[in-house]
Amino acid sequence: MESVIHYFEQLNPVWGALYASTFTWLMTAIGAAFVFFFQKAHRGLMDGMLGFTGGVMVAASIWSLLIPAMEMSEGDGFLKVLPAVVGFLMGAGFLFALDKILPHFHSNFKKVEGLKTPWQKTTLLVLAITLHNIPEGLAVGVLFGGVAAGVPDATIAGAVTLALGIGLQNLPEGVAVSLPLRRLGMSRRKSFFYGQISAIVEPISAVVGAIAVAAFTPILPYALAFAAGAMIFVVVEEVIPEAQQNKSSDIATIGFIGGFLLMMSLDVVLG
């Protein structure tokens, strides 16, 4: 791990954001590749992976995003936490608006959200996972952007650790897209293609976040909290409800705890 961090320290942070978020995209592709070996996944396993995803996202939001946002804010008392509060509300509000506007389907295929559309189920499912990935890529990008801006509390180690955690939880997300598409009758190749393409927004949003923060340093605490608010919204609105709606809800809970502890440990030990 130290050699990986050293490698990223030699890069321009914007390029680092691109490479790190490309890794998270590739992890989604690996998960999507499960469709070449399996027709379907056990429901309990899927719920456990969803729970794991939620745990990683919540822990990353706290240790990698919100706490650094508050530590790098100036002032005392409420002024110290104000950028984190404002950014968090903006991030949650942004995802709330997208959730209401952008048509999308979840893996249970029971409810279409967003504006009415004639789009197929496959498109709607891919859009649902794409919504998850926007804040994840942004989170990685703003940390690298903070490094580019020379913010002391923003470190390459922290950014790489966050990318590692997001990459780990992207693997089950790839599975959660490709296997349902296969059950709908889509070919294995197409199921894999749409499964991995749902994460292509991560490198894009990472680079945008890195450039924006590097160009305008004062927005970094707001940007970190924005990504945290967006990620927490996704967990509460979509990940946890989907994981808890079946008989294997206990497995989902255990998965959440495991993902939370893993991401917390990675951030403290490596970040």
Side-chain angles (χ1 to χ4, degrees), residues 133-222:
N133 291 324
I134 292 173
E136 294 170 6
L138 183 63
V140 173
V142 295
L143 276 178
F144 275 100
V147 175
V151 178
D153 291 305
T155 66
I156 289 293
V160 171
T161 301
L162 177 61
L164 176 61
I166 289 177
L168 289 174
Q169 63 93 25
N170 272 5
L171 192 149
E173 280 193 0
V175 178
V177 181
S178 62
L179 291 184
L181 292 179
R182 177 62 177 161
R183 291 201 305 271
L184 285 175
M186 187 174 286
S187 70
R188 294 184 188 274
R189 288 187 177 182
K190 285 188 176 181
S191 297
F192 167 75
F193 174 78
Y194 286 112
Q196 60 82 29
I197 205 67
S198 65
I200 195 64
V201 294
E202 291 197 6
I204 297 171
S205 56
V207 171
V208 170
I211 292 174
V213 170
F216 191 52
T217 308
I219 71 170
L220 180 56
Y222 297 91

Side-chain angles (χ1 to χ4, degrees), residues 54 56-70 83-95 132 134-140 142-143 162 166 220-236:
V56 169
M57 293 175 72
V58 170
S61 297
I62 296 171
W63 271 273
S64 297
L65 301 173
L66 285 175
I67 291 177
M70 289 183 282
V85 171
V86 173
F88 190 93
L89 288 174
M90 291 176 63
F94 175 71
L95 259 291
H132 293 196
I134 292 173
E136 294 170 6
L138 183 63
V140 173
V142 295
L143 276 178
L162 177 61
I166 289 177
L220 180 56
Y222 297 91
L224 290 171
F226 180 97
M231 289 173 68
I232 293 294
F233 177 87
V234 168
V235 173
V236 176

Side-chain angles (χ1 to χ4, degrees), residues 16 51 100 124 137 229:
K100 297 301 180 184
L124 297 176

Side-chain angles (χ1 to χ4, degrees), residues 4-179:
V4 174
I5 293 174
H6 178 71
Y7 170 76
F8 274 92
E9 287 175 342
Q10 311 308 310
L11 294 174
N12 179 291
V14 175
W15 282 106
L18 176 61
Y19 293 161
S21 55
T22 298
F23 162 75
T24 65
W25 170 41
L26 289 175
M27 290 297 289
T28 305
I30 292 173
F34 275 51
V35 76
F36 292 113
F37 308 99
F38 304 98
Q39 178 71 28
K40 62 180 180 179
H42 186 271
R43 186 65 247 183
L45 177 62
M46 293 294 292
D47 289 342
M49 290 192 298
L50 277 172
F52 177 84
T53 294
V56 169
M57 293 175 72
V58 170
S61 297
I62 296 171
W63 271 273
S64 297
L65 301 173
L66 285 175
I67 291 177
M70 289 183 282
E71 288 178 345
M72 64 182 62
S73 299
E74 299 179 355
D76 298 308
F78 186 72
L79 290 178
K80 181 78 173 175
V81 76
L82 182 60
V85 171
V86 173
F88 190 93
L89 288 174
M90 291 176 63
F94 175 71
L95 259 291
F96 178 82
L98 282 184
D99 188 67
K100 297 301 180 184
I101 296 173
L102 187 65
H104 59 285
F105 228 143
H106 301 294
S107 57
N108 56 19
F109 300 111
K110 293 181 179 178
K111 182 181 179 182
V112 178
E113 297 184 351
L115 299 177
K116 292 184 179 181
T117 176
W119 295 349
Q120 297 180 343
K121 288 183 178 181
T122 54
T123 303
L124 297 176
L125 177 59
V126 172
L127 285 175
I129 304 300
T130 301
L131 277 177
H132 293 196
N133 291 324
I134 292 173
E136 294 170 6
L138 183 63
V140 173
V142 295
L143 276 178
F144 275 100
V147 175
V151 178
D153 291 305
T155 66
I156 289 293
V160 171
T161 301
L162 177 61
L164 176 61
I166 289 177
L168 289 174
Q169 63 93 25
N170 272 5
L171 192 149
E173 280 193 0
V175 178
V177 181
S178 62
L179 291 184

